[in-house]
Amino acid sequence: MSSNDTPLTTVTVLYYDIHSLEFNYQVGQFPKAEQGRVIIDDEFKRDKSIIAVCRGEVKILNKIGDRINE
């Protein structure tokens, strides 16, 4: 299977920015390996400490104690 044929999976990645220590998240589509693990490329990982990878789009309601306004 070529990289163009690799199925994409929507995930929400929770991470800390290693410079500011700010907690962030990003929803995106990433390829999935044959074993089922999501493959996050080095470019995305740069300057981040990944805390969790969640299946699908997760709506974050609270971030470090602050309520996010809708």
Side-chain angles (χ1 to χ4, degrees), residues 2-65:
S2 73
S3 61
N4 291 339
D5 297 331
T6 304
L8 296 177
T9 300
T10 299
V11 298
T12 302
V13 180
L14 308 176
Y15 64 91
Y16 280 101
D17 178 290
I18 64 169
H19 299 292
S20 68
L21 298 179
E22 181 180 3
F23 178 76
N24 290 302
Y25 70 97
Q26 183 170 333
V27 177
Q29 291 197 322
F30 294 90
K32 193 189 247 188
E34 288 181 25
Q35 301 84 1
R37 288 185 64 121
V38 175
I39 302 167
I40 299 176
D41 61 74
D42 289 338
E43 180 66 28
F44 180 85
K45 291 186 218 178
R46 183 174 293 130
D47 298 331
K48 296 175 181 74
S49 178
I50 295 176
I51 305 305
V53 179
C54 306
R55 180 182 297 131
E57 184 173 345
V58 175
K59 182 174 183 177
I60 305 296
L61 299 177
N62 288 299
K63 227 172 68 163
I64 311 299

